[in-house]
Amino acid sequence: MRKHLSLLAASLAATLALTACGSDPSPTNGGTAESGGGETSTIVVGASPVPHAKILEFVRDNLAADAGLRIEIREFDDYVLPNSSLADGTLDANFFQHLPYLESEEKDKGYDFTHGEGVHIEPYAVFSSKFGSVAEVPDGAKVAITNDVSNQYRALKLLEKGGLLQNITEGTSALSLTAEQNPRGLTFEENQPEIIVQLKDDPAIDLAVINGNFILTAGLTTEGALIVEEVAGNPYANVLVWRTGDAKPGVEKLDELLHSPEVKEYIAKEWPSGDVTPA
């Protein structure tokens, strides 16, 4: 009896040892794991909720696995934290900004980032809860406008397109407008981009110049705007951004996927009104 028990115990021990040798699926190579005979790279990407995170979700759910990529998406509701989080290593890349904003951030804060080509454009637009056309806007109207430099210039150019300002040049700000540039005597309230969309229905505000992603987040569409930015020749295409000289292999693979025909088709189908347009 003892002999049989000893043999049984030895057999169980051998089985457990074999199981333990083959049961550790956790990656030990710095964020990569073997999958189907190929290596999977895991990257953490910061993004604005709409449209950026939605585009990343499409890539994650439809294209990433075949490319050996695992994407973790972290959403941000502002334009400051995605870059500071990329700089401190919390993120491997971010996807929320256009090139002029990126260049302004690098100049002001000393970031050393690299970017891909433009993925999509979200037209900037002017909204009003009071007026149905630009012709109805009175002299001295109060405009809610972003306080970040690159987008403020963009907003002023849009107001110029609508005939409310004139002769806007690079370096012009809402506070530096001359009487010649501002013949209608518009007044301005500067605020963070994420706050501007909340001011659209404020009784004290006549016009609100709103960034494209916040237009979408608020459930608005440019079809309801008084003035809409042109897409053709638009320099404000959104780009994927990563740290210079410190990019994981999966980051450049993600940049390739963001420029794939599948992503362009997804954008065109998801936003047929043109509120998001492939670059």
Side-chain angles (χ1 to χ4, degrees):
M1 182 67 176
R2 288 177 183 171
K3 183 177 181 181
H4 288 305
L5 288 173
S6 298
L7 288 172
L8 180 59
S11 177
L12 286 171
T15 300
L16 289 171
L18 287 171
T19 303
C21 288
S23 65
D24 184 7
S26 60
T28 57
N29 52 353
T32 60
E34 295 298 323
S35 175
E39 193 175 80
T40 297
S41 179
T42 299
I43 58 173
V44 182
V45 186
S48 295
V50 185
H52 307 80
K54 286 182 67 68
I55 294 172
L56 289 174
E57 287 169 2
F58 172 80
V59 173
R60 179 195 64 196
D61 297 342
N62 297 275
L63 306 175
D66 288 342
L69 187 61
R70 182 182 293 115
I71 305 170
E72 179 183 333
I73 303 166
R74 296 186 185 174
E75 296 186 0
F76 293 85
D77 292 322
D78 72 296
Y79 287 170
V80 177
L81 286 176
N83 277 335
S84 63
S85 297
L86 178 59
D88 69 21
T90 303
L91 302 174
D92 297 311
N94 66 42
F95 182 40
F96 78 100
Q97 63 194 320
H98 53 65
L99 187 56
Y101 181 79
L102 171 62
E103 291 173 339
S104 175
E105 284 277 280
E106 289 178 315
K107 180 180 178 182
D108 291 346
K109 298 175 182 175
Y111 296 138
D112 186 11
F113 295 156
T114 298
H115 64 87
E117 296 297 319
V119 177
H120 71 272
I121 296 164
E122 305 152 35
Y124 222 167
V126 178
F127 288 83
S128 176
S129 61
K130 296 181 179 180
F131 309 111
S133 69
V134 173
E136 298 175 22
V137 178
D139 290 353
K142 191 168 189 176
V143 183
I145 194 169
T146 182
N147 59 3
D148 85 73
V149 176
S150 63
N151 279 316
Q152 187 171 110
Y153 169 69
R154 186 183 182 189
L156 294 173
K157 290 295 289 184
L158 190 55
L159 292 168
E160 180 182 35
K161 175 190 174 185
L164 296 170
L165 299 175
Q166 60 187 22
N167 300 326
I168 301 301
T169 60
E170 283 197 60
T172 301
S173 71
L175 298 180
S176 71
L177 289 169
T178 65
E180 185 270 335
Q181 291 174 308
N182 186 16
R184 302 282 300 276
L186 302 181
T187 60
F188 294 89
E189 179 173 325
E190 296 180 315
N191 221 313
Q192 291 92 341
E194 63 270 22
I195 300 298
I196 302 301
V197 67
Q198 301 173 32
L199 296 176
K200 182 182 84 68
D201 297 322
D202 188 321
I205 298 297
D206 297 303
L207 302 173
V209 193
I210 305 176
N211 291 66
N213 63 298
F214 293 118
I215 292 172
L216 298 171
T217 302
L220 301 172
T221 172
T222 53
E223 292 176 351
L226 300 189
I227 314 169
V228 182
E229 194 175 52
E230 296 288 341
V231 172
N234 192 308
Y236 297 102
N238 285 234
V239 295
L240 184 71
V241 178
W242 56 92
R243 288 183 300 280
T244 300
D246 187 29
K248 288 186 178 179
V251 171
E252 293 191 10
K253 174 57 66 175
L254 173 59
D255 194 48
E256 290 179 20
L257 295 177
L258 286 171
H259 292 89
S260 66
E262 292 88 347
V263 168
K264 290 183 179 180
E265 182 179 359
Y266 168 75
I267 291 172
K269 286 184 177 179
E270 187 71 16
W271 295 282
S273 64
D275 288 338
V276 184
T277 304

